[in-house]
């Protein structure tokens, strides 16, 4: 997976699951009797400082003797160029004491590992936890569909990971959360979080994004500073003597040079959000000179991005699996060299190395430096939200059970340099990995069994630590340092905004039509009508809401 601790993201932000309002209305009682007429949420917004009483007081946790080789800064995560010589045990007491299994539903953007009884990685982690976590793993690319069904049934597991981009597509998600998930404030607010020091170490802003409907529900996965980047198979570009792109225009040249269907090689996978960014499209809302707000769909730059992506599709430079399926899994295509360039969440960079480097030692992956649409143009980089994925706990559990589950989340949140984090990330030395020249070398068993699962039960402060991959730490730290100089101005930084229901319900149908335009199923000329429909069906109403929020917080 690419969780978005780091990310994101893109597969997550890029795929458009079929998450509508109806199923969640059922989950919240909204489809029964007269309740069906209940007014849907018009959205909420609270300045972050007003949420302080709901969330933990931050208490930073430092691993003794551990100092980053590449220092962090504003919007740059610290980097570690080697594996620590020794690891600190951060948690001495096993969190599960009742003997009862904990059930958990999590997404996975990768290979599903063997289950309990056939997985030594699970055995090792559960031994340290003092009990069993039983996972229900779902395909991350279609997670929204499964999530909708689970919420509608009301039968949720003890712990469930819900990415924020999926929650945003559910028209009445805060009501569903209030009905189905525990209020965490009685256990974590203020100094209560001292009982869970790994959770208390999260940034306050990340915790504030776990508030839904005025209640702290989500244990956040603190985001990497950036939403997306463009990844490229640098080994293939070097072999062909081709440069990394420096603008969107360069993609047009590379598309022709890279694509060779006879060799089963295409230039591109999904590129839409990165092309939007290159053309100067705002991530969401932009403040206009006249003091009004314009949404990304309404900007001329968004239409320019559509025209550009249509060119990529029409030219035959996009991998046919991606053409056939907007939710196609890009990772195996990229790992095998069938596509060379695509947009991804930052976390996928090291995960791709982890999956494909062993079979192809010459594999080299690079992130394209932040680029504009045209040479010499202005570069913007989208600012990420403080947290993008959240673990929720089932409502109605007794206090002793809540403490067990929070203890598991706390254990899974231990940072780099701890024994807990090393086991969670790599498994058991000698079984799931070996050490060569001071670096982790993943075994075939490690690749099979130690897939991302437990990490979805928590989060951790960001750091770039995967030094076992060629030049990865230096390259990603350098990319972040460059990106930090181009951060887009966002009128809603520091405000916890819950999207109005009508607007969230429009995301999927609107962007499905955009995807159809990319693939030639609709003409580009229809986009203006798509935008008009978006405005009339809830976009204009949402604008009024966001402008009110911006005015009340001194942003307009």
């Amino acid at each position: 997976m690419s969780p978005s601790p780091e990310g994101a993201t893109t597969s997550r932000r890029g795929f458009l699951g079929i998450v509508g309002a109806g199923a969640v209305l059922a989950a919240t009682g909204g489809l029964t009797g007269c309740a069906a007429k209940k007014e849907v949420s018009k959205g909420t917004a609270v300045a972050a400082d007003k949420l302080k009483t709901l969330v933990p007081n931050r208490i930073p946790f430092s691993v003794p003797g551990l100092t980053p080789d590449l220092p962090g800064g504003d919007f740059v995560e610290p980097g570690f160029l080697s594996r620590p010589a020794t690891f600190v045990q951060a948690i001495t007491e096993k969190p599960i004491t009742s003997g009862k299994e904990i059930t958990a539903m999590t997404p996975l953007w990768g290979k599903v590992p063997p289950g309990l009884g056939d997985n030594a990685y699970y055995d090792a982690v559960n031994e340290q936890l003092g009990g069993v976590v039983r996972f229900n793993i779902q395909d991350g690319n279609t997670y929204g569909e499964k999530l909708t069904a689970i919420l509608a049934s009301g039968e949720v597991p003890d712990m469930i990971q819900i990415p924020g981009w999926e929650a945003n597509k559910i028209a009445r998600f805060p009501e569903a959360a209030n009905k189905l998930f525990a209020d965490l404030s009685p256990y974590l607010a203020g100094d209560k979080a001292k009982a869970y020091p790994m959770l208390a170490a999260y940034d306050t802003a990340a915790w504030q994004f776990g508030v839904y409907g005025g209640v702290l529900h989500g244990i956040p996965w603190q985001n990497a500073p950036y939403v997306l980047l463009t990844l490229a198979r640098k080994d293939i570009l070097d072999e062909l003597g081709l440069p990394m792109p420096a603008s969107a225009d360069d993609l047009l040249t590379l598309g022709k040079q890279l694509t060779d269907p006879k060799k089963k090689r295409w230039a591109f996978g999904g590129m839409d959000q990165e092309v939007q960014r290159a053309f100067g499209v705002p991530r969401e809302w932009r403040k206009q000179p006249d003091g009004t707000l314009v949404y990304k769909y309404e900007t001329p730059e968004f239409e320019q991005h559509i025209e550009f992506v249509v060119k990529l599709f029409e030219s035959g430079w996009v991998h046919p699996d991606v053409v056939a399926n907007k939710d196609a899994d890009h990772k195996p295509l990229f790992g095998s060299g069938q596509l060379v360039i695509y947009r991804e969440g930052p976390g996928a960079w090291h995960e791709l190395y982890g999956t494909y480097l062993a079979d192809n030692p010459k594999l080299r992956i690079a992130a394209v430096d932040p680029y504009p649409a045209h040479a010499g143009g202005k570069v913007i980089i989208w600012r990420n939200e403080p947290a993008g994925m959240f673990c929720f706990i089932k409502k109605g559990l007794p206090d002793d059970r809540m403490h067990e589950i929070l203890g598991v989340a706390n254990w899974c949140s231990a940072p780099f340099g701890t024994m807990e984090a090393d086991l969670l990330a790599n498994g058991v030395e000698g079984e799931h990995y070996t050490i060569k020249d001071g670096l982790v070398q993943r075994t075939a068993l490690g690749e099979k069994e130690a897939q991302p699962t437990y990490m979805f039960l928590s989060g951790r402060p960001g750091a770039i630590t995967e030094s076992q991959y060629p030049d990865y730490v230096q390259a990603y730290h350098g990319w972040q340092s460059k990106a930090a100089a181009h951060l887009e101005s966002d009128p809603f930084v520091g405000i916890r905004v819950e999207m109005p229901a009508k607007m969230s319900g429009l995301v999927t149908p609107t962007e499905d039509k955009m995807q159809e335009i990319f693939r030639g199923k609709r003409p580009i000329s229809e986009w203006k009508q798509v935008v008009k429909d978006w405005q009339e069906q809830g976009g204009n109403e949402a604008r009024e809401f966001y402008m009110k929020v911006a005015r009340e917080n001194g942003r307009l």
Side-chain angles (χ1 to χ4, degrees):
M1 112 102 238
S2 322
S4 196
E6 314 182 304
T9 213
T10 161
S11 14
R12 293 168 299 286
R13 291 193 177 276
F15 65 64
L16 304 172
I18 311 167
V19 185
V24 179
L25 289 171
T28 58
L31 293 181
T32 59
C34 296
K37 297 180 181 179
K38 184 175 179 178
E39 188 173 4
V40 297
S41 167
K42 292 183 179 294
T44 65
V46 183
D49 59 359
K50 295 180 181 178
L51 298 174
K52 287 183 179 179
T53 60
L54 301 179
V55 304
N57 291 334
R58 183 167 186 257
I59 306 171
F61 180 86
S62 297
V63 176
L66 187 67
T67 303
D69 301 290
L70 303 174
D74 290 339
F75 304 101
V76 179
E77 295 172 312
F80 295 86
L81 296 175
S82 62
R83 178 179 170 84
T86 59
F87 290 85
V88 173
Q89 184 175 3
I91 301 163
T92 57
E93 295 183 1
K94 296 181 178 181
I96 302 177
T97 58
S98 68
K100 297 179 181 177
E101 288 187 356
I102 292 175
T103 57
M105 176 174 145
T106 57
L108 181 65
W109 289 266
K111 302 174 183 177
V112 176
L116 289 171
D118 296 307
N119 190 318
Y121 172 69
Y122 284 174
D123 292 343
V125 177
N126 287 338
E127 169 62 27
Q128 295 302 310
L129 294 176
V132 172
V133 177
R134 184 174 293 276
F135 287 98
N136 174 8
I137 299 172
Q138 298 294 323
D139 182 355
N141 294 303
T142 55
Y143 195 65
E145 299 171 39
K146 183 65 176 178
L147 179 62
T148 299
I150 290 288
L151 295 181
S153 73
E155 297 296 326
V156 296
D158 297 325
M159 306 179 79
I160 184 170
Q161 171 63 231
I162 301 181
W165 59 90
E166 294 291 3
N168 286 343
K169 290 184 259 178
I170 298 173
R172 285 170 61 178
F173 180 77
E175 292 178 51
N178 292 169
K179 181 180 177 65
L180 298 173
F181 303 127
D183 179 358
L184 303 182
S185 291
Y187 306 94
L188 297 174
D191 288 339
K192 294 176 183 176
K194 288 181 178 179
Y196 308 99
M198 305 301 114
L199 298 181
Y202 294 175
D203 282 352
T204 300
W207 276 110
Q208 289 162 344
F209 265 68
V211 174
Y212 286 90
V215 179
L216 178 62
H217 286 303
I219 300 170
W221 189 302
Q222 193 167 309
N223 269 337
Y226 307 98
V227 180
L228 295 163
L229 42 66
T230 297
L231 290 181
R233 282 289 300 268
K234 191 168 188 305
D235 53 327
I236 294 176
L237 291 171
D238 289 348
E239 180 184 345
L240 297 174
L242 298 174
M244 295 281 281
S247 67
D249 286 341
D250 286 351
L251 298 177
L252 299 176
T253 302
L254 286 169
K256 184 176 182 180
Q257 295 171 317
L258 286 169
T259 302
D260 188 343
K262 292 182 180 179
K263 295 183 178 179
K264 293 186 177 181
R265 186 181 67 227
W266 287 264
F268 306 115
M271 294 294 298
D272 45 333
Q273 292 107 324
E274 273 288 82
V275 172
Q276 290 171 27
R277 181 204 53 73
F279 273 85
V281 174
R283 182 182 168 194
E284 290 186 350
W285 295 96
R286 173 181 288 157
K287 180 181 176 180
Q288 298 283 81
D290 63 0
T292 60
L293 293 174
V294 62
Y295 194 62
K296 61 181 179 180
Y297 299 154
E298 303 170 301
T299 64
E301 294 91 344
F302 199 92
E303 188 164 354
Q304 292 165 15
H305 126 267
I306 289 178
E307 293 170 353
F308 185 93
V309 176
V310 166
K311 284 183 185 178
L312 302 186
F313 276 84
E314 287 181 340
S315 299
W317 299 334
V318 177
H319 193 285
D321 287 5
V322 178
V323 175
N325 178 10
K326 63 182 176 60
D327 296 328
D329 188 352
H330 285 61
K331 288 184 175 63
L333 303 174
F334 185 78
S336 65
Q338 292 187 52
L339 68 82
V340 183
I341 300 171
Y342 81 116
R343 54 96 180 96
E344 249 294 7
W349 189 351
H350 70 78
E351 290 170 10
L352 285 159
Y353 267 134
T355 302
Y356 299 103
L357 185 64
D359 291 333
N360 179 11
K362 295 182 179 180
L363 175 69
R364 294 296 181 271
I365 301 169
V368 180
D369 285 348
Y371 57 93
H374 313 295
K378 181 181 178 180
V379 176
I380 68 166
I381 291 291
W382 291 347
R383 182 194 302 257
N384 214 351
E385 294 169 343
M389 304 183 76
F390 304 90
C391 184
F392 296 79
I393 299 175
K394 183 178 181 178
K395 189 173 185 176
L397 299 176
D399 283 349
D400 57 350
R401 185 63 164 168
M402 285 294 298
H403 287 300
E404 274 194 328
I405 293 174
L406 287 170
V408 168
N410 183 65
W411 189 96
C412 293
S413 299
F416 179 72
T418 64
M419 296 170 64
E420 294 85 356
D422 191 54
L423 175 60
L424 190 149
N426 298 313
V428 178
E429 185 174 1
E431 291 187 63
H432 300 107
Y433 71 98
T434 58
I435 301 297
K436 182 179 180 181
D437 300 327
L439 301 177
V440 171
Q441 304 292 313
R442 198 171 175 90
T443 66
L445 184 66
E447 176 58 32
K448 180 181 179 181
E449 294 186 346
Q451 288 291 328
T453 43
Y454 294 92
M455 68 183 187
F456 286 118
L457 309 181
S458 65
R460 63 195 42 78
I464 308 171
T465 64
E466 293 79 6
S467 57
Q468 64 267 39
Y469 304 128
D471 300 322
Y472 167 74
V473 173
Q474 301 95 316
Y476 186 26
H477 188 274
W479 186 93
Q480 288 193 3
S481 300
K482 293 173 184 175
H486 301 289
L487 278 171
E488 175 196 32
S489 177
D490 184 334
F492 296 99
V493 170
I495 306 173
R496 176 63 172 109
V497 182
E498 292 179 21
M499 187 182 295
K502 284 186 179 180
M503 185 176 176
S504 60
L506 290 172
V507 172
T508 296
T510 300
E511 299 200 6
D512 277 351
K513 292 170 186 174
M514 176 189 75
Q515 294 290 337
E516 290 174 354
I517 292 173
F518 291 162
R519 291 160 174 79
K521 297 177 181 179
R522 292 174 181 264
I524 294 176
S525 59
E526 278 195 19
W527 179 247
K528 287 183 171 58
Q529 184 61 47
V530 173
V531 174
K532 185 178 179 182
D533 292 343
W534 175 86
Q535 292 169 334
E536 293 175 349
Q537 293 169 16
N540 286 337
E541 184 177 321
R543 186 191 335 276
E544 293 177 8
F545 163 75
Y546 277 92
M547 286 186 63
K548 180 175 183 291
V549 171
R551 284 194 295 267
E552 289 175 347
N553 288 274
R555 305 300 173 86
L556 286 182

